[in-house]
Amino acid sequence: MSGESVKADNSATLRVGVRHAILDTAGVVHDTILRNSVVFLYYTLEDAVDNNNLILYKLTDSTGSAMFYKLDSLSYTVRVQNGVLGNKIQSINTPHQSIVNMVITY
């Protein structure tokens, strides 16, 4: 975490939803949940890109979600890996005693 002062409060929850959205020729959006995608949690963007210092990983469930509980109040980077659609990376903050919802859309 490169010198960052960390308060271990274990008070945040992060829900990552993974979806696939397609716009058809009629202009209608088809939105599908993506089950069994791997959601990786890192402290930094560099770690996510280089696949170093992994904190946790989970598979998305039948609702397309992966839940991370008892996180410290920090910034995290999430990398989602889908076998067909590839990787997506996004960063998020988890404030003290928060429940944060993040949606990754392919």
Side-chain angles (χ1 to χ4, degrees), residues 52-93:
N52 289 324
N53 303 312
L54 175 67
I55 301 168
L56 294 167
Y57 73 93
K58 301 218 174 172
L59 286 177
T60 55
D61 61 17
S62 62
T63 67
S65 298
M67 299 289 295
F68 297 92
Y69 299 98
K70 296 186 177 181
L71 296 176
D72 293 329
S73 301
L74 297 170
S75 294
Y76 294 96
T77 298
V78 171
R79 180 170 57 90
V80 177
Q81 183 177 38
N82 179 278
V84 174
L85 300 170
N87 291 299
K88 286 269 191 160
I89 297 176
Q90 189 171 322
S91 295
I92 191 91
N93 292 322

Side-chain angles (χ1 to χ4, degrees), residues 3-20:
E4 181 178 353
S5 177
V6 176
K7 180 181 178 188
D9 60 10
N10 297 311
S11 71
T13 298
L14 174 61
R15 178 194 167 272
V16 180
V18 183
R19 310 188 72 79
H20 184 223

Side-chain angles (χ1 to χ4, degrees), residues 21-30:
I22 298 174
L23 182 65
D24 69 17
T25 55
V28 177
V29 175
H30 300 274

